Amino acid sequence: MARVCLIWVERPGLEGLDPAEVAKRAGLSLDPGGAIPAAVVTAPEWAAPPAVRSRLAGKPAQWLDLAGEVGGGPAEKRLARAAAAVARAAGRAALGTLPQVYTAQPAQTVLVAGAGLAAVAAARQAGLLGHPVILATPFGRAAQAGADDEAEEVSLLAAQLPAQVEVLAEAELRHLSGAAGDFTAELQTPQGAQLKRFGAVVLAPAGGYAPPELGLDPELAKPVADLPPEGLAGSPDKWLQAAVIAGVDAPATADAFARAVEAALALQARDFVQTTLLFSEARVASEGGERRYREARQAGVIAARVAAGGLEVAQGGRLLKWRDLLLDEEVQLRPDLLAVAGPVAAALPAFLANPVLWPAWPQLVPEGPRFSGGRTARSGLYIIGALRGTAPGRARRVEAAAAAADLHDRLTQGRATPVPSVRNTACASCLTCVRVCAHGVPRYGSDAIVCAPAACVACGMCAAECPAEAIAPPGWSNPELIAGLEAGLAKSAGTKAVLFACGQSGAQAFAELCRQGHEWPEGLLLYPVPCAGRVGMQLIMKALSSGAAGIMVAGCHDGNCRSVSGNLRARLRAGETAALLERLGLGPERVEFLHLASNQPRRLAQAVDRFVSTLG
Amino acid sequence: MISLNDCDPGFKFEVAAEPGGAGIKACFACAACSARCPVAGHREEYDPRRIIRLTLLGRREEVLSSPLIWLCSACYSCQEVCPQQVRFTEVLTAIKNLAAKAGYAPPSAKQIAGLLAGHGRLLAVTEFENEKRAELGLPAVEERGADYAAILGIAPEAAEAGEEA
Amino acid sequence: MTIISTPVLILGGGVAGVSAALELARRGVPSVLAEKGPRLGGRVRDFCCKATQACVHCGACRLGDLLAEAAARPEAAFRSLALAAEAQREGGVWQVELRPQPDEGEADPLAQPLAEKTTVNAQAVILAVGYEPFDPRRKTRFGYGRVPGVMTALELEAMLGQGVLVGHDGQPPESVAFIQCVGSRDESLGNLYCSRVCCGFALDMAGLIKEGWPETAVTFFHMDVQGYGPSWEEALPHMRQAIDFVRAMPGEVSAGENGPRVCFAGPDGQPRSREFGLVALSQGLTPPASAGALSEMFGLNRNQDGFLGEDAALAVSGAQGVFVAGTAQGPRGIVESIDHAALAAGAAMESLFRAGKEAAHG
Ligand SMILES: Cc1cc2nc3c(=O)[nH]c(=O)nc-3n(C[C@H](O)[C@H](O)[C@H](O)COP(=O)(O)OP(=O)(O)OC[C@H]3O[C@@H](n4cnc5c(N)ncnc54)[C@H](O)[C@@H]3O)c2cc1C
Ligand code: SF4
Ligand code: SF4
Ligand code: SF4
Ligand code: SF4
Ligand code: SF4
Ligand code: SF4
């Protein structure tokens, strides 16, 4: 707390209060002048003198409308109220002096909820990294595999679980909220329900195979994992006909195709059984997939390619018809045995259906390349295995290993995770930040916005969207950015244009161009931002009013934002600002958004040249 | 309409068991062979991949009785491009052997066999030939049809038939 | 002669190698990475972004993220122009001799060039030496190096990355053909595996061409289309409308009057030929050039397809304390290579723990 200073700005309503006494009671030191780490200011930002504002640029500061907090009444009461308000604000300001100060230490315990290879491997890896782990399994013991898992490998791994892993048997994860460092989970066990705090959560529910809807009679059609028993065999005069369906309406996944091929091989190996493998695409992109596919053909399996959606199923599968694409002829088959392959899947945990606490699946588990290795948009939450559609075997171990390292890194601050500072005195409790943060960092506590301690990625989207300028990750508040912007614009000459460049794309491409010795148009000011989503309307307008002729925002391509929608939000805000400029008659072409990837420096150079030349 | 239930699942194994036929089941229908086959370029119905396909499905009679299987010029182009080492030229020899065994040899092939069985070569040896040979100082030749008839398993009547044609 | 000691030595600085270093750093384990070339990033350096209206998840820009993170990780040290020449294991430690490679004057901002012969003592080694793109000259019939206008997919990647598209005559082509599975799924070459990435990159490049040069007709010669997740499956029907999908492997590519002539069988099985302005050969992934030397050096196994490491379930390789990451182990895409490195790093860390325990117990 000693790191926070009180900067006294005299305001109407503060008359008669002694700054030194307020500081003393609040446990702060009074502004010594010069450089300070963090401050509480007794005026709202707009009312503070420019000198104070510029001194605090880049610093965690709490702009406190102290007069409002103090009110009237006896001098002693006013003094007490002032000290209390300043102390509260100081606490928040101290949050901003990261990475040293955290509200709450991130919880270190890891919850792995699930079963099978993915769950056991994740629990093991997290345990080896030194985290206390609770492995909550729906089964009676950790070694029990999911329906689609390799039982042998699971029990082998379960036998090697480190001592840090506590197995909670017959447990169900009923409820989950929070983000990295601060999850709250409700676990139901035969002993009753318990609420626990966790630093990170790995969801790895056991799954099964989801055969496609083809109108097949379950009596006849079996999942490939569950072939009809041996014994049904044909004779030289009367071969039995078997069919294995591996993705006909929609092509199979590589894993489903591989399992179908194994099933076809097993059936074909029986005496006088002719197996036909039906598929729309041979999905051989798995390890050994092509080899096994060839072995199946060599064994006598008939590979029958069917146009997508071209399999006609009659009598519950007792009659199959399709057009042989090669012969261009109708083919029919009355199978005696029928097996169907589908992708792995698991039921969505019920708590994820809560739209207030959890975003929809595509926002929670985006498909983009930045959300691999079990990562989700929610910091500290990892979804691996069947629920993610990951095939059993190596792919699940990969996810488990990546998730364990990532959560360890987050919880042990290897990543210097920032915590946004919230000016609760300014906060309007509008919950905008709660809604825009893709990573689940801010949430509404009992009477204020609180931030999960190890979850923020400093994208700054909350800062861009907050109507009250009340929240920002350290270093990225509006005043700090604007101070930098004004200083930069004051220095640059010629036609002044600002390029706000996202750290995941634009700024990297910019740096690459600089390395290549690219010559930028005179007057261009690069302003790197952690995410394009940091660039809200206020910032754009501020840049324009500070002398910029045009603003370009370079963010990631649609579908590749680290914070899910920062790029789209920035594009939207740029569009809105352009529309506003048009209405004002100032020219909408002054504001532009550019989709970009870090490996597209040329695209950036061309776009900037074109943009600056149109500004004239 | 092809009913797989009425096809012969054993046929492909039979072809594979013939000398040269081993590769047939590896085919994954990539069509590289069809693209390169010069005969396919001239005869619309001819398509190596189609012959393989029918064989794999077990269309025994259709394949063996097809006149198409005898059209191959044995240029080995298909064999050279095949990524699965099907060796179609040799596979076709296997199929042709089965066809001949099943009595589906086309008239031309029967004729050739008959000629061989009758004369031991593709034309009859007459006085005229031997006279000409003598003029050139070459030794006379004699017909050794019986040996070939034995190898080809052809009865004397067939040999006669070949001679007539 | 310098001697460095490190818990883990990583060979190869492609996406898999750099990820292995980061994965170790996230676990708090320091490492030294030795890249034989001048720069980090491997093949992905030359890849273009294939986004059109939206990102198509090709993963190429993940390299930027990796290098940015690498710059901020003090645990990972990068050495360029460093080739492993010899290795021996003594007392649970690998002693690997690195030799400096000729400087090509292309410095990497993150990696320090190896100045002199250096011995690295490491408890574990991660091999992330990548793959060798199939040399299409081995498939003479596709005309690469002979027929003007026939190029490799890698060359097309680099060209598109420059925002350029020129065909056989130096002009933007009216038509482009992709030939798939060149060097993959091919028993006659001994490559009986699917390379897993080429359907993806080819169709993504096709999409890029259709966006940048809408008049250009694109034909896709293939056998099967592999899958790359839900949004890919959703996009496939749209791709089929914009691109001519021909399910046939061409028999031959020869020089035609107006560009390379591709002969292929039509749906009726009849040979036909068509000329294209440009033909791209989607070359597959083959084992790394150094697979033989490394497997000998470290005494490790190669799998059926010739890649490093035989165990299908783990990233382990058969040799003690040696782990394999990325395409060195088998064909996989960029993101999969990045993630695969987590498995190798996790296994390497475990081996360090085990060694530590054994040491503690005497
Ligand atoms: C034409 C083409 C297009 C592709 N497009 C895509 C795509 O769009 N999306 C996708 O996901 N994947 C794509 N891929 C696959 C992609 O290239 C790989 O997934 C990726 O490069 C694998 O990374 P890596 O680190 O394993 O190997 P590499 O990128 O090959 O890196 C290996 C590194 O190791 C170094 N090295 C080699 N030997 C040694 C040694 N002995 N000692 C030290 N260093 C050594 C090399 O110099 C290199 O830097 C494509 C592949 C090809 C051929
Ligand atoms: S967006 Fe701003 S005002 Fe709204 S709740 Fe968050 S911090 Fe408070
Ligand atoms: S900066 Fe980004 S990640 Fe951090 S709280 Fe704000 S919106 Fe969330
Ligand atoms: S060998 Fe026969 S089938 Fe093969 S390409 Fe030549 S003619 Fe056609
Ligand atoms: S080239 Fe070989 S694999 Fe392809 S269709 Fe012909 S025989 Fe079959
Ligand atoms: S993942 Fe690929 S397509 Fe998407 S932005 Fe990155 S480079 Fe472009
Ligand atoms: S990914 Fe596609 S092009 Fe590449 S080998 Fe597999 S099937 Fe062929």
Side-chain angles (χ1 to χ4, degrees):
Chain A
M1 213 57 87
R3 301 169 54 83
V4 184
C5 306
L6 179 63
I7 298 182
W8 195 270
V9 176
E10 201 55 59
R11 294 255 303 145
L14 297 183
E15 301 84 357
L17 287 168
D18 174 11
E21 185 58 23
V22 175
K24 199 176 124 212
R25 290 213 189 179
L28 304 190
S29 54
L30 199 57
D31 179 19
I36 48 167
V40 174
V41 189
T42 60
E45 200 170 343
W46 56 266
V52 172
R53 291 216 303 263
S54 62
R55 253 184 84 205
L56 290 176
K59 299 280 166 51
Q62 289 288 315
W63 306 90
L64 190 59
D65 191 356
L66 190 60
E69 310 265 345
V70 171
E76 183 51 34
K77 279 255 167 71
R78 288 180 72 225
L79 185 59
R81 284 200 290 263
V86 167
R88 257 199 324 271
R92 285 176 224 122
L95 285 187
T97 60
L98 286 163
Q100 296 88 342
V101 189
Y102 287 94
T103 19
Q105 283 301 313
Q108 292 295 314
T109 309
V110 175
L111 170 65
V112 179
L117 188 58
V120 177
R124 182 171 140 77
Q125 288 271 324
L128 286 175
L129 286 165
H131 294 271
V133 180
I134 289 188
L135 172 56
T137 166
F139 302 122
R141 60 204 170 88
Q144 182 132 356
D148 54 345
D149 252 329
E150 293 148 60
E152 205 175 308
E153 216 181 334
V154 175
S155 44
L156 201 75
L157 276 178
Q160 301 171 13
L161 283 175
Q164 287 96 322
V165 181
E166 178 196 337
V167 179
L168 210 57
E170 294 176 51
E172 188 200 345
L173 177 58
R174 281 284 192 75
H175 185 78
L176 182 70
S177 64
D182 193 16
F183 280 101
T184 306
E186 185 190 323
L187 289 160
Q188 179 76 40
T189 63
Q191 289 74 46
Q194 42 179 306
L195 270 184
K196 269 200 156 79
R197 188 163 173 259
F198 291 99
V201 176
V202 182
L203 287 185
Y209 299 109
E213 287 291 330
L214 289 168
L216 299 168
D217 179 356
E219 278 296 304
L220 172 71
K222 301 289 176 205
V224 286
D226 183 19
L227 292 182
E230 299 255 5
L232 276 171
S235 67
D237 321 314
K238 177 80 184 74
W239 287 57
L240 277 193
Q241 292 289 340
V244 180
I245 299 179
V248 285
D249 275 0
T253 58
D255 167 58
F257 190 82
R259 280 184 287 109
V261 167
E262 292 307 320
L265 269 162
L267 289 168
Q268 187 68 26
R270 298 179 184 184
D271 289 340
F272 301 106
V273 171
Q274 173 56 51
T275 308
T276 304
L277 180 67
L278 292 144
F279 55 85
S280 58
E281 304 285 349
R283 287 283 168 86
V284 287
S286 60
E287 194 153 339
E290 180 73 32
R291 195 176 294 279
R292 291 298 276 170
Y293 177 42
R294 187 176 204 263
E295 281 167 17
R297 298 193 308 274
Q298 288 285 42
V301 172
I302 295 175
R305 204 179 261 119
V306 180
L311 182 72
E312 215 181 294
V313 175
Q315 300 160 28
R318 283 173 186 84
L319 177 60
L320 303 172
K321 281 190 200 167
W322 67 93
R323 176 162 281 274
D324 188 288
L325 298 173
L326 241 152
L327 302 176
D328 198 24
E329 263 184 78
E330 290 296 324
V331 179
Q332 71 168 41
L333 171 64
R334 295 177 179 281
D336 305 298
L337 299 164
L338 183 57
V340 193
V344 288
L348 204 66
F351 60 80
L352 283 182
N354 181 337
V356 175
L357 291 175
W358 294 99
W361 184 262
Q363 278 77 51
L364 180 64
V365 189
E367 233 189 296
R370 292 198 164 101
F371 295 94
S372 67
R375 291 172 187 85
T376 68
R378 177 67 55 101
S379 297
L381 176 74
Y382 303 84
I383 294 183
I384 63 178
L387 185 54
R388 214 180 175 115
T390 308
R394 192 214 308 258
R396 291 194 177 166
R397 300 182 72 127
V398 165
E399 282 180 343
D406 200 72
L407 69 85
H408 176 69
D409 187 33
R410 266 197 179 284
L411 297 180
T412 56
Q413 302 163 31
R415 203 194 286 262
T417 317
V419 176
S421 47
V422 185
R423 297 192 296 146
N424 278 319
T425 43
C427 171
S429 298
C430 69
L431 304 191
T432 300
C433 54
V434 180
R435 270 179 282 117
V436 299
C437 178
H439 308 284
V441 182
R443 71 187 153 83
Y444 198 65
S446 48
D447 61 351
I449 292 290
V450 287
C451 290
C456 178
V457 303
C459 67
M461 239 196 288
C462 52
E465 298 287 320
C466 171
E469 296 198 325
I471 184 169
W476 296 107
S477 67
N478 269 350
E480 289 163 290
L481 269 140
I482 289 166
L485 202 57
E486 281 172 342
L489 281 169
K491 264 186 261 157
S492 66
T495 310
K496 297 177 181 184
V498 178
L499 171 66
F500 286 112
C502 158
Q504 273 66 245
S505 49
Q508 292 180 24
F510 190 92
E512 176 62 28
L513 283 162
C514 292
R515 266 197 291 277
Q516 292 170 8
H518 180 79
E519 290 204 8
W520 295 99
E522 197 198 1
L524 180 78
L525 174 66
L526 170 78
Y527 209 111
V529 281
C531 166
R534 174 61 196 86
V535 187
M537 259 173 114
Q538 291 146 308
L539 207 56
I540 300 178
M541 293 308 266
K542 188 70 199 174
L544 288 170
S545 67
S546 305
I551 310 293
M552 179 177 254
V553 186
C556 294
H557 283 286
D558 188 354
N560 195 25
C561 175
R562 181 187 61 171
S563 299
V564 188
S565 63
N567 51 355
L568 301 186
R569 225 170 256 285
R571 193 175 72 187
L572 181 75
R573 296 302 177 227
E576 284 174 354
T577 320
L580 188 66
L581 292 180
E582 188 164 28
R583 260 182 282 145
L584 296 172
L586 294 173
E589 70 285 344
R590 290 172 182 281
V591 182
E592 194 176 312
F593 182 86
L594 174 73
H595 279 302
L596 196 74
S598 58
N599 56 0
Q600 288 185 303
R602 264 180 54 90
R603 180 180 163 101
L604 178 65
Q606 284 170 353
V608 167
D609 284 349
R610 179 186 42 71
F611 179 67
V612 172
S613 72
T614 60
L615 293 175
Chain B
M1 165 79 74
I2 296 173
S3 167
L4 286 184
N5 299 67
D6 302 332
C7 290
D8 178 359
F11 183 44
K12 55 185 172 296
F13 296 108
E14 234 177 285
V15 172
E18 284 287 314
I24 183 153
K25 291 189 267 83
C27 172
F28 62 9
C30 72
C33 51
S34 313
R36 283 295 292 275
C37 175
V39 176
H42 290 283
R43 284 291 293 267
E44 235 177 68
E45 328 83 270
Y46 190 79
D47 174 2
R49 189 170 62 148
R50 193 181 165 88
I51 297 172
I52 299 173
R53 187 72 188 153
L54 288 167
T55 308
L56 293 179
L57 290 186
R59 303 282 282 175
R60 189 173 215 289
E61 294 310 310
E62 187 177 344
V63 172
L64 295 185
S65 67
S66 168
L68 295 176
I69 59 174
W70 302 93
L71 291 180
C72 166
S73 70
C75 70
Y76 285 83
S77 300
C78 52
Q79 188 150 324
E80 195 188 310
V81 298
C82 176
Q84 289 293 327
Q85 299 203 302
V86 168
R87 301 178 166 273
F88 182 66
T89 321
E90 289 162 29
V91 164
L92 205 50
T93 307
I95 292 176
K96 283 188 276 195
N97 281 335
L98 287 177
K101 271 188 213 155
Y104 286 119
S108 60
K110 283 189 197 149
Q111 202 175 13
I112 290 167
L115 283 169
L116 283 173
H119 307 288
R121 57 192 72 233
L122 293 181
L123 51 123
V125 181
T126 61
E127 286 299 309
F128 176 75
E129 276 85 19
N130 274 334
E131 267 168 36
K132 286 283 176 209
R133 289 179 68 91
E135 273 172 33
L136 292 165
L138 292 168
V141 288
E142 53 182 289
E143 293 193 340
R144 311 246 314 256
D147 300 357
Y148 286 89
I151 293 169
L152 292 166
I154 286 178
E157 312 88 70
E160 292 302 311
E163 207 165 347
E164 272 162 35
Chain C
M1 177 83 161
T2 316
I3 297 178
I4 310 179
S5 286
T6 176
V8 186
L9 169 68
I10 301 162
L11 298 185
V15 286
V18 175
S19 302
L22 296 180
E23 281 287 345
L24 287 165
R26 287 177 198 143
R27 290 168 167 83
V29 179
S31 63
V32 171
L33 181 149
E35 159 63 44
K36 73 166 182 201
R39 305 222 36 191
L40 298 176
R43 306 273 173 200
V44 182
R45 283 198 72 79
D46 303 324
F47 290 177
C48 59
C49 167
K50 301 176 193 80
T52 48
Q53 287 303 305
C55 163
V56 295
H57 309 333
C58 79
C61 61
R62 276 292 296 272
L63 176 61
D65 296 1
L66 294 179
L67 295 178
E69 190 182 341
R73 294 279 187 182
E75 298 95 333
F78 301 96
R79 294 279 188 285
S80 57
L81 300 170
L83 185 69
E86 274 171 41
Q88 60 187 51
R89 191 167 166 90
E90 225 171 81
V93 173
W94 280 103
Q95 298 172 350
V96 181
E97 189 188 303
L98 300 178
R99 301 228 174 109
Q101 298 300 295
D103 192 350
E104 289 163 41
E106 209 194 335
D108 191 285
L110 278 180
Q112 184 189 337
L114 193 77
E116 55 167 354
K117 227 192 247 182
T118 301
T119 299
V120 180
N121 294 326
Q123 281 144 287
V125 178
I126 294 178
L127 302 178
V129 292
Y131 64 96
E132 203 55 45
F134 176 74
D135 178 2
R137 281 186 195 81
R138 285 181 65 200
K139 275 280 193 216
T140 38
R141 64 189 168 102
F142 289 143
Y144 180 73
R146 232 171 1 94
V147 177
V150 177
M151 59 172 66
T152 65
L154 276 175
E155 287 162 346
L156 182 60
E157 281 258 9
M159 192 161 83
L160 288 172
Q162 293 302 309
V164 184
L165 182 67
V166 290
H168 70 112
D169 52 2
Q171 300 297 315
E174 278 172 25
S175 56
V176 173
F178 286 90
I179 299 179
Q180 295 306 105
C181 304
V182 176
S184 316
R185 306 188 67 183
D186 194 328
E187 171 70 355
S188 69
L189 295 166
N191 295 350
L192 194 52
Y193 55 82
C194 163
S195 288
R196 296 167 75 165
V197 292
C198 14
C199 282
F201 70 62
L203 285 173
D204 288 345
M205 282 198 268
L208 203 55
I209 291 172
K210 286 306 276 184
E211 193 190 56
W213 297 265
E215 301 299 308
T216 303
V218 181
T219 305
F220 182 71
F221 291 103
H222 70 297
M223 291 186 275
D224 298 284
V225 185
Q226 302 306 318
Y228 301 89
S231 63
W232 168 268
E233 306 288 4
E234 249 168 58
L236 257 183
H238 304 288
M239 295 186 206
R240 286 182 194 280
Q241 296 197 333
I243 296 162
D244 187 13
F245 278 62
V246 178
R247 208 189 283 276
M249 284 315 281
E252 189 174 20
V253 181
S254 55
E257 263 171 51
N258 302 306
R261 182 191 298 131
V262 177
C263 107
F264 63 99
D268 54 0
Q270 293 307 295
R272 57 198 63 187
S273 62
R274 208 188 288 167
E275 288 178 351
F276 294 90
L278 188 163
V279 171
L281 305 179
S282 292
Q283 75 228 96
L285 276 51
T286 67
S290 49
L294 288 172
S295 64
E296 212 159 282
M297 214 184 288
F298 291 97
L300 56 89
N301 304 313
R302 296 174 68 175
N303 62 25
Q304 265 185 312
D305 300 326
F307 290 85
L308 293 169
E310 64 178 4
D311 188 335
L314 280 168
V316 299
S317 56
Q320 268 227 318
V322 182
F323 307 90
V324 187
T327 47
Q329 192 274 335
R332 43 173 60 81
I334 297 165
V335 176
E336 291 161 286
S337 296
I338 290 172
D339 288 347
H340 188 240
L343 196 56
M349 180 194 73
E350 279 194 41
S351 84
L352 299 182
F353 282 170
R354 263 199 307 276
K357 261 194 214 144
E358 276 159 27
H361 292 96

